[in-house]
């Protein structure tokens, strides 16, 4: 792949991720009557249809692309087409037709987003947050090259699951060390490329990213020293667990001791453009 092709692919990945977030946000507003009421009319019909059309077009046939738990993206696209057809003759308003509510809920389920504990009908809009005090990040903004090196959300998800494997004693025991080590540096470089470009407007957010980057850099150095001829050292597993717990906002490490599932080889593959 040439530099121009790589830059174009990165731009398309960012556009897809941004479009997906917008689709999920709008579908969430349509799925919950109380949320829809709080937002008022929302986007115009033209804006909503244009967003859904763009999302469908970006997915293409999607036959080889998967999301999250491995579900083909074309299943999500089919639900987006259904929602688009229903919205084609609807003038957006706080009163969302039941058919559109159901289609929006089905689309969210296809994305792997579960129904809220209280149910869609009882879901309240999030409370308004007080305006955040301006506390700009003193670091320079990321360069174009740094932004272009950020991984596709799917690749980040793959790296995160590999990290989970590394953090689990049972998964480490069933995966050959060489297979577990093979994608290590590529996955860690993907995560570092993502979080080194993160900026925050408050000290708490900056401290979070600083801690995470330090842990990722430590884990990368440990994995570079580990050649994969034997099981990963305890320190490698310890730092991998700390990284995964921070990213998952988890507080109970015991769940890693219990993790025991079939090994999916996709998480043991070197990311494109990265090295072993």
């Amino acid at each position: 792949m040439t530099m121009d092709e790589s830059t174009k692919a990165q731009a398309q990945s960012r556009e897809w991720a941004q479009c997906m977030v917008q689709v999920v946000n709008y579908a969430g507003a349509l799925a919950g009557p109380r949320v829809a009421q709080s937002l008022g009319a929302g986007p115009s019909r033209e804006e909503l249809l244009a967003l859904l059309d763009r999302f469908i077009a970006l997915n293409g046939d999607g036959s080889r692309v998967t999301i999250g738990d491995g579900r083909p993206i074309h299943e999500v696209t089919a639900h987006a087409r259904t929602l688009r057809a229903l919205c084609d003759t609807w003038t957006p308003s706080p009163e969302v037709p039941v058919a559109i509510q159901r289609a929006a809920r089905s689309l969210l389920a296809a994305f792997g987003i579960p129904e809220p504990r209280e149910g869609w009908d009882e879901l309240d809009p999030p409370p308004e947050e007080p305006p955040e005090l301006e506390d700009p990040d003193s670091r320079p903004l990321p360069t174009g090259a740094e932004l272009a090196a950020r991984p596709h959300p799917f690749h980040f998800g793959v790296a995160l699951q590999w990290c989970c494997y590394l953090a689990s004693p049972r998964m480490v025991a069933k995966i050959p060390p060489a297979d577990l080590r093979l994608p290590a540096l590529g996955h860690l470089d993907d995560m570092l490329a993502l979080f080194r470009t993160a900026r925050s407007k408050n000290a708490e957010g900056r401290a979070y990213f600083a801690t995470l980057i330090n842990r990722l850099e430590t884990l990368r150095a440990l994995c570079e020293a580990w050649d994969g001829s034997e099981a990963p050292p305890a320190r490698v597993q310890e730092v991998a667990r700390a990284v995964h717990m921070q990213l998952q906002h988890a507080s109970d490490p015991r769940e890693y001791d219990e993790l025991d599932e079939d090994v999916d080889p996709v998480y043991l593959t070197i990311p494109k453009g990265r090295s072993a």
Side-chain angles (χ1 to χ4, degrees):
M1 180 181 289
T2 67
M3 181 64 71
D4 287 344
E5 290 173 335
S6 177
T7 301
K8 183 178 179 181
Q10 290 286 348
Q12 289 174 336
S13 295
R14 289 196 300 273
E15 183 182 6
W16 183 89
Q18 292 167 354
C19 189
M20 180 192 70
V21 170
Q22 288 181 289
V23 168
V24 168
N25 286 341
Y26 280 150
L30 296 173
R34 295 184 180 183
V35 178
Q37 287 286 344
S38 72
L39 296 177
S44 68
R45 179 197 302 163
E46 290 72 22
E47 290 171 326
L48 184 54
L49 295 181
L51 173 63
L52 291 169
D53 284 340
R54 186 61 186 149
F55 179 71
I56 292 167
L58 286 171
N59 289 336
D61 66 19
S63 58
R64 297 183 181 179
V65 182
T66 60
I67 60 170
D69 58 1
R71 185 186 302 108
I73 192 66
H74 69 75
E75 293 184 12
V76 178
T77 309
H79 288 286
R81 292 182 188 278
T82 299
L83 180 59
R84 196 245 183 251
L86 291 168
C87 291
D88 190 43
T89 55
W90 174 57
T91 300
S93 73
E95 302 297 332
V96 181
V98 173
I100 291 179
Q101 287 179 1
R102 290 174 177 168
R105 295 171 187 181
S106 295
L107 176 57
L108 292 169
F111 272 117
I113 299 173
E115 181 174 356
R117 183 180 304 174
E118 64 270 41
W120 288 113
D121 290 337
E122 301 301 321
L123 178 66
D124 286 319
E128 291 188 13
E129 296 184 1
E132 188 174 328
L133 295 177
E134 190 69 20
D135 182 16
D137 199 317
S138 61
R139 293 177 300 163
L141 292 174
T143 65
E146 287 174 327
L147 290 174
R150 288 162 61 98
H152 185 284
F154 173 75
H155 294 155
F156 169 69
V158 170
L160 189 62
Q161 184 60 26
W162 165 84
C163 190
C164 185
Y165 282 177
L166 192 58
S168 166
R170 293 185 181 183
M171 298 305 294
V172 166
K174 68 167 58 177
I175 300 173
D179 292 348
L180 193 58
R181 168 60 176 79
L182 180 66
L185 302 187
H187 284 333
L188 290 167
D189 283 343
D190 268 351
M191 288 198 277
L192 282 166
L194 178 63
F195 292 109
R196 280 174 177 160
T197 57
R199 299 293 182 267
S200 176
K201 291 184 178 180
N202 61 70
E204 183 180 359
R206 290 195 289 276
Y208 173 91
F209 288 123
T211 298
L212 178 58
I213 290 168
N214 179 263
R215 284 171 171 165
L216 287 168
E217 289 175 340
T218 299
L219 182 57
R220 193 190 189 286
L222 290 168
C223 284
E224 200 162 19
W226 167 48
D227 63 8
S229 60
E230 297 180 350
R235 178 61 176 158
V236 170
Q237 297 178 63
E238 175 188 337
V239 179
R241 182 173 295 198
V243 166
H244 197 269
M245 287 182 67
Q246 182 175 354
L247 287 170
Q248 294 294 90
H249 302 285
S251 58
D252 186 354
R254 289 175 298 181
E255 64 184 64
Y256 297 95
D257 297 328
E258 300 299 323
L259 180 66
D260 187 4
E261 59 185 42
D262 292 337
V263 177
D264 189 332
V266 72
Y267 302 125
L268 305 176
T269 304
I270 302 173
K272 290 183 179 179
R274 301 291 184 189
S275 65

